[in-house]
């Protein structure tokens, strides 16, 4: 592959990683701005499932911070593979929750996130425009 084509593909990867990072970051920020409202909403969403309220409440306080951290790391391209793994595990947990609610429409959306996390993880060697690359070159 010629150098120009390689840079184009690496730039496309950067844009996809950046977009996923911004998506996760804004999810986290929006929920953190009114954490109690998010907690109340989550408890209501899971009231008819087998999950105990304390577990739903705990999750509702953790998820926004996890989303924020994943978002920041993906935006910066820092610890990218770990951030992608954490994001994929978060989506897995969210899919489980949607399944318990029998909320198949939301689950479909979450499966799209799972695909994007897979693509970004699978193509991690294209992660050129990142702090990971700078850290690697400084060693």
């Amino acid at each position: 592959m010629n150098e120009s084509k390689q840079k184009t593909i690496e730039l496309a990867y950067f844009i996809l990683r950046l977009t996923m990072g911004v998506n996760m970051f804004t999810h986290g920020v929006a929920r953190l701005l009114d954490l109690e409202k998010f907690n109340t909403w989550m408890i209501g969403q899971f009231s008819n499932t087998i999950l105990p309220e304390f577990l739903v409440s705990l999750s509702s306080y953790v998820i926004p911070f996890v989303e924020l951290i994943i978002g920041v790391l993906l935006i910066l391209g820092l610890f990218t593979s770990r951030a992608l793994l954490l994001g994929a595990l978060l989506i897995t947990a969210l899919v489980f929750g949607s399944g318990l609610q029998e909320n198949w429409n939301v689950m479909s959306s979450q499966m799209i996130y799972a695909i994007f996390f897979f693509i970004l993880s699978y193509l991690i060697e294209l992660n050129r425009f990142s702090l990971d690359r700078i850290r690697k070159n400084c060693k």
Side-chain angles (χ1 to χ4, degrees):
M1 181 180 317
N2 68 38
E3 188 176 332
S4 175
K5 178 74 171 176
Q6 181 67 25
K7 284 186 180 181
T8 300
I9 293 170
E10 291 168 345
L11 183 59
Y13 181 89
F14 166 69
I15 292 167
L16 184 60
R17 190 198 77 224
L18 181 65
T19 303
M20 182 59 83
V22 169
N23 184 301
M24 297 302 290
F25 177 79
T26 56
H27 268 85
V29 167
R31 291 175 176 158
L32 284 171
L33 290 176
D34 200 344
L35 201 50
E36 287 305 317
K37 180 180 175 186
F38 180 62
N39 180 50
T40 302
W41 177 80
M42 285 278 288
I43 290 170
Q45 291 294 304
F46 286 90
S47 62
N48 294 324
T49 70
I50 62 170
L51 290 180
E53 186 175 311
F54 82 90
L55 190 56
V56 174
S57 186
L58 176 66
S59 297
S60 74
Y61 287 112
V62 171
I63 288 170
F65 289 100
V66 173
E67 290 171 329
L68 184 75
I69 290 166
I70 292 167
V72 168
L73 292 176
L74 291 179
I75 289 167
L76 298 174
L78 182 62
F79 306 115
T80 307
S81 61
R82 290 180 185 124
L84 292 169
L85 175 61
L86 184 59
L89 292 173
L90 174 63
I91 294 302
T92 301
L94 296 176
V95 165
F96 176 73
S98 294
L100 290 178
Q101 295 174 15
E102 298 182 32
N103 194 339
W104 314 123
N105 290 331
V106 170
M107 187 187 285
S108 298
S109 174
Q110 292 163 339
M111 291 304 297
I112 293 169
Y113 278 82
I115 292 167
F116 279 107
F117 277 113
F118 167 79
I119 291 167
L120 287 165
S121 297
Y122 186 76
L123 299 174
I124 192 72
E125 72 274 0
L126 297 173
N127 195 30
R128 178 178 183 198
F129 302 106
S130 65
L131 289 180
D132 287 338
R133 180 67 57 106
I134 293 169
R135 287 178 50 241
K136 180 180 176 184
N137 291 335
C138 291
K139 290 182 180 182

